[in-house]
Amino acid sequence: MNDLLSESVYFGIVISLIFYWVSLIISKKVKLTVCNPLLLTTIFIIAVLLVFHIDYDTYNYGAQYLTYFLTPATVCLAVPLYRQFEILKDNVSAIMLSIGAGCISHAIAIGVLTIAFHLSPELKAALIPKSLTTAIAIGVGEELGGITSVTVISVIITGLLGATIASTLFRLLKIEEPIAQGLACGTASHAIGTSKAIELGEIQGAMSSLAIVVTGILTVIIAPFLMEMIR
């Protein structure tokens, strides 16, 4: 199977798009939190690769072209932010304080976990940028000496988890303020969480987009200090 597909530029792209389309249909019909389209797509693709014994490199040979759109897609998140600029301007202090608190909480959590499980310096460095969007996380992880594959996996899991449980957590904790919802999604689960925030509303999407950028900047600044503290 690998020999048959190894030279195909279309295999990875086609199955990714097909499974995402199927996942969207399932998500709309079932309407359960766990039926997040991105989560379902990931599960479907992993299942196909395992069942047909297809190497990841064979799949990624075509799927990598979708990855090229990751950075421009992230930049496009500035559009809802621009539309909600007045709300940003009126709440700038609260917004920056919230994002800062989220980054500090993330740093503390990573520090506690890495010390508790006696992780190697490479794994510590790989996990620090887990709440950043992939384009930023990979660069931060590499600069800190982390394992890139672990960074990517942690970013994906963080994003999918945030997008999957966000609505449920908001209901349980009675968080109804759109600004707070958006900031939580963007700070904790980067671009994937932002996709969920956009579903919740334009204000949520705008605040989540802002949180991605500010969280990235703050994490780049504090990451080296955090790495030194948990060595």
Side-chain angles (χ1 to χ4, degrees), residues 2 12 52 57 72 78 88 107 116 155 172 185 199 207 213 229:
N2 283 298
F52 293 99
D57 290 338
L88 167 62
V155 168
L172 290 176
C185 288
E199 291 180 16
M207 294 302 105
V213 177
M229 291 173 58

Side-chain angles (χ1 to χ4, degrees), residues 147-158:
I147 303 170
T148 301
S149 57
V150 175
T151 298
V152 173
I153 292 172
S154 65
V155 168
I156 293 172
I157 292 175
T158 300

Side-chain angles (χ1 to χ4, degrees), residues 59-192:
Y59 160 76
N60 193 49
Y61 179 69
Q64 63 180 332
Y65 296 104
L66 288 175
T67 309
Y68 294 157
F69 292 99
L70 180 62
T71 300
T74 303
V75 173
C76 289
L77 293 175
V79 174
L81 179 60
Y82 173 76
R83 291 175 177 171
Q84 302 297 330
F85 184 73
E86 289 300 320
I87 294 178
L88 167 62
K89 188 169 63 174
D90 293 339
N91 298 275
V92 63
S93 298
I95 290 171
M96 300 307 293
L97 181 61
S98 298
I99 298 174
C103 290
I104 293 172
S105 299
H106 165 251
I108 293 173
I110 290 297
V112 170
L113 288 174
T114 53
I115 293 173
F117 290 97
H118 305 287
L119 299 181
S120 66
E122 293 79 11
L123 286 177
K124 293 176 184 177
L127 292 175
I128 286 174
K130 71 174 184 62
S131 290
L132 305 183
T133 190
T134 308
I136 303 175
I138 291 176
V140 173
E142 289 177 346
E143 285 295 321
L144 296 176
I147 303 170
T148 301
S149 57
V150 175
T151 298
V152 173
I153 292 172
S154 65
V155 168
I156 293 172
I157 292 175
T158 300
L160 289 174
L161 182 61
T164 301
I165 68 174
S167 296
T168 302
L169 280 179
F170 293 153
R171 286 197 299 270
L172 290 176
L173 300 177
K174 301 185 185 304
I175 300 175
E176 299 177 352
E177 171 57 51
I179 296 177
Q181 292 179 344
L183 293 175
C185 288
T187 303
S189 49
H190 50 83
I192 300 179

